[in-house]
Amino acid sequence: MTSMHLEIKDVSYSFDGKQNILEKLNLHVDEGEFVTILGPSGSGKSTLFHLTGGILKPDDGDILLDGKKINGLKGHISYMPQQPSLLPWRTVLDNVLLGSELAGFKDKEKAKVLLMKAGLGEYEQAYPHELSGGMKQRAAFIRSILSPQHLMCLDEPFSALDELTRVQMQEWLMSFWEEYRRSVLFVTHSIDEAVFLSDRIYVLSAKPATVIKEVIVPFSRPRREEQLLSEDFFNLKRELYAALKPTFTT
């Protein structure tokens, strides 16, 4: 598989040309890394994804993919939004093939294998309204895996799920990611989720957002639910909370 390196370099962005949402933001994602952006609500986490995906263009700074400037250019990332955004008139199989179909190819056999691994094999001809929330998110993730881009941007994909389903989905995502090792840039406002899933975490300030802390997560893989209750896990949570706390009142 082609190597991948994303660099966000001194990126600033404002919707109105007056007040910046992002200000001189710097971060990077290496090949096969799971990197999480952690920050308060309204800190510009989703805006960063829109910039990386070329929907928006930075006012200043550069977004580089493998050294190539991609400011304002679409088609370089696979994107999974907060809501699964499955098309209601397409079957589950056709939904997960959408990204690869738009890129000019589709591999139905691979899609069926991945749906089977995701526990959705018997639902490939079902429609989205027949699926639970967790099943819809699994289908949306398979769609991202099948898209040809090497960088996956996941925008709070589990935020609408109940706590138990959310933990189950985090474990499911980890098992899938460990097998395929796509580069991931993940957005969340949950400290637990960030620590459990990530190799590295960037903590953002409140608006205008900039990186205030970078943390390398020291836990080995594969990770399990029991780690959520360990002393080392709680210590890292406290460290991240201390970094985030000033942003709550800014």
Side-chain angles (χ1 to χ4, degrees):
M1 186 175 73
T2 304
S3 63
M4 196 290 314
H5 178 79
L6 173 74
E7 185 176 6
I8 308 293
K9 190 173 181 180
D10 292 326
V11 164
S12 297
Y13 180 77
S14 168
F15 285 112
D16 59 10
K18 298 176 183 178
Q19 183 180 16
N20 279 345
I21 305 296
L22 306 176
E23 189 165 288
K24 292 192 176 300
L25 194 71
N26 289 277
L27 60 89
H28 71 276
V29 182
D30 292 328
E31 173 64 32
E33 266 198 307
F34 198 115
V35 176
T36 292
I37 308 294
L38 180 64
S41 297
S43 62
K45 301 184 297 296
S46 296
T47 300
L48 175 61
F49 273 4
H50 295 156
L51 289 161
T52 306
I55 297 171
L56 302 174
K57 190 173 181 179
D59 298 328
D60 294 297
D62 291 318
I63 301 170
L64 305 169
L65 190 64
D66 299 329
K68 176 186 175 184
K69 184 176 175 179
I70 60 168
N71 292 19
L73 299 179
K74 300 180 179 68
H76 291 280
I77 68 167
S78 172
Y79 177 62
M80 182 177 170
Q82 293 180 25
Q83 300 300 323
S85 299
L86 302 177
L87 300 177
W89 60 88
R90 293 179 69 118
T91 64
V92 170
L93 179 60
D94 287 337
N95 263 292
V96 301
L97 285 166
L98 183 60
S100 55
E101 184 181 315
L102 293 172
F105 69 92
K106 55 182 180 180
D107 187 339
K108 281 193 176 184
E109 291 311 309
K110 183 177 180 181
K112 289 180 179 182
V113 169
L114 291 178
L115 285 172
M116 188 69 68
K117 287 184 176 182
L120 297 173
E122 63 186 274
Y123 294 95
E124 64 180 50
Q125 294 304 318
Y127 289 88
H129 73 272
E130 301 176 77
L131 306 182
S132 68
M135 293 163 73
K136 289 176 183 177
Q137 291 295 51
R138 276 181 272 164
F141 183 74
I142 298 302
R143 180 179 57 197
S144 296
I145 283 278
L146 288 168
S147 296
Q149 298 86 358
H150 296 293
L151 175 65
M152 299 175 65
C153 290
L154 311 182
D155 189 357
E156 298 192 60
F158 309 139
S159 60
L161 303 177
D162 65 80
E163 188 64 25
L164 179 59
T165 304
R166 184 170 182 156
V167 172
Q168 291 171 340
M169 285 299 300
Q170 289 166 1
E171 289 193 303
W172 177 85
L173 172 61
M174 276 294 90
S175 66
F176 234 85
W177 176 81
E178 284 164 7
E179 181 174 356
Y180 292 94
R181 286 285 173 165
R182 298 282 287 277
S183 303
V184 170
L185 186 59
F186 188 91
V187 158
T188 185
H189 58 261
S190 166
I191 296 176
D192 280 27
E193 190 165 70
V195 174
F196 185 61
L197 296 175
S198 311
D199 294 314
R200 285 189 300 115
I201 299 169
Y202 288 104
V203 180
L204 299 189
S205 67
K207 290 188 298 187
T210 189
V211 173
I212 56 176
K213 191 176 186 66
E214 178 184 357
V215 172
I216 297 173
V217 179
F219 307 133
S220 61
R221 298 186 185 275
R223 295 179 187 163
R224 295 290 179 260
E225 184 181 349
E226 307 83 70
Q227 289 176 287
L228 295 169
L229 301 175
S230 71
E231 184 177 354
D232 289 341
F233 192 95
F234 278 113
N235 288 339
L236 186 51
K237 274 183 64 176
R238 279 193 287 268
E239 179 183 343
L240 289 165
Y241 179 77
L244 275 170
K245 189 175 180 180
T247 72
F248 299 152
T249 55
T250 299

